[in-house]
Amino acid sequence: MKNLSFYITFLLAFFVIPSAIAQKKFALNLGFEGALPMSSGYKTMYMAAGGASIRAQYNVSDNIGVTLSSGALAFIPKEIGNLGGGGGNTPTKFNAMLSIPIKVGGKYYLTKGFYGMVEVGTVINRIISANTSGGNPTVGLGGSFSALCYAPGIGVQFGGFDLGVRYETFSKGGAESFMAARLGFNLFSIK
């Protein structure tokens, strides 16, 4: 299932990007993101997340845009204090997570600048572990997994900026979700 969602995302991107460039209705947008866990599993493990993303957009018409986006979002664990260990302090163990999505989506402009959006794709999550027990801090990469993700959202574009919020969920033996805000700016656009 995880490979199937990756291949579908790749094929959609393969057909969308070349046609966007050929018709010269293309924009590339860089964004900075912040997120808060919403599902009970994420709320237990993580306090927040931050990262960056890049989004390509092809405008099919004045009201409809097709997007391809990717980036990285780092989830900060709740138990992160006392990383030094030793000195009689209690050792700390924690697992952070790096999330890398690849999503295709659609935007519908309700009015000039204000839009609704839905994205679907695959996300690759990688666990980053730290352990300060034994007086020797160690950091290493844990397991990784991929899952199907989807994200409805709303936003507003003004000038060269794009401000949006979304509710993103991925499913891997249960659903995990977070609420994210994104502030993007256009790197370039071709009309």
Side-chain angles (χ1 to χ4, degrees):
M1 181 67 180
K2 67 181 181 179
N3 289 334
L4 178 63
S5 62
F6 174 77
Y7 292 128
I8 290 171
T9 304
F10 178 77
L11 287 174
L12 287 171
F14 181 76
F15 290 110
V16 169
I17 296 297
S19 65
I21 293 170
Q23 294 184 18
K24 298 185 179 187
K25 296 180 178 181
F26 181 76
L28 191 63
N29 185 284
L30 177 67
F32 299 98
E33 302 194 13
L36 293 173
M38 300 302 288
S39 60
S40 60
Y42 266 20
K43 282 183 180 180
T44 302
M45 296 183 294
Y46 305 112
M47 66 175 129
S53 62
I54 191 156
R55 180 181 291 153
Q57 179 173 330
Y58 167 60
N59 295 318
V60 176
S61 69
D62 289 341
N63 293 344
I64 298 173
V66 178
T67 64
L68 172 66
S69 61
S70 187
L73 201 57
F75 285 86
I76 304 164
K78 283 190 172 183
E79 301 296 324
I80 198 166
N82 186 28
L83 292 179
N89 294 331
T90 305
T92 301
K93 296 179 184 179
F94 72 84
N95 292 322
M97 185 174 73
L98 182 63
S99 184
I100 302 170
I102 302 169
K103 302 179 286 190
V104 295
K107 276 186 178 180
Y108 182 76
Y109 290 90
L110 303 165
T111 63
K112 184 171 175 61
F114 184 73
Y115 63 86
M117 181 175 185
V118 174
E119 293 178 298
V120 65
T122 187
V123 62
I124 301 163
N125 293 315
R126 185 76 188 233
I127 304 299
I128 303 166
S129 301
N131 187 347
T132 63
S133 62
N136 295 324
T138 59
V139 177
L141 294 176
S144 67
F145 63 93
S146 60
L148 178 68
C149 67
Y150 57 94
I154 58 171
V156 62
Q157 290 181 320
F158 51 96
F161 293 94
D162 185 349
L163 179 62
V165 293
R166 71 181 185 278
Y167 182 81
E168 188 158 333
T169 301
F170 72 85
S171 182
K172 173 82 173 168
E176 297 291 351
S177 60
F178 58 89
M179 184 68 78
R182 180 179 189 273
L183 175 61
F185 59 93
N186 281 344
L187 296 174
F188 68 87
S189 63
I190 302 170
K191 296 281 181 182

